[in-house]
């Protein structure tokens, strides 16, 4: 099976992930448009 990437944050999805409305995310916060809790995302300040 191909490696899955979270559409919200770009993280690799470990295990089964979190599915909502047929889309698989890495965690529940990504699925609910909340800040990601898996410590893989760092905010980037654009100049």
């Amino acid at each position: 099976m191909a490696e899955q990437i979270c559409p919200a944050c770009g993280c690799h999805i470990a295990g089964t992930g979190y599915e909502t409305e047929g889309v698989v995310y890495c965690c529940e916060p990504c699925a609910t448009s909340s800040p990601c809790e898996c410590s893989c995302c760092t905010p980037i300040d654009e100049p």
Side-chain angles (χ1 to χ4, degrees):
M1 185 164 113
E3 189 173 87
Q4 290 185 309
I5 304 293
C6 178
C9 69
C11 292
H12 297 282
I13 298 173
T16 58
Y18 184 87
E19 184 175 348
T20 184
E21 297 180 12
V23 180
V24 180
Y25 298 88
C26 65
C27 59
E28 184 176 0
C30 279
T32 59
S33 299
S34 299
C36 185
E37 292 181 346
C38 59
S39 303
C40 64
C41 305
T42 49
I44 299 171
D45 292 328
E46 295 289 329

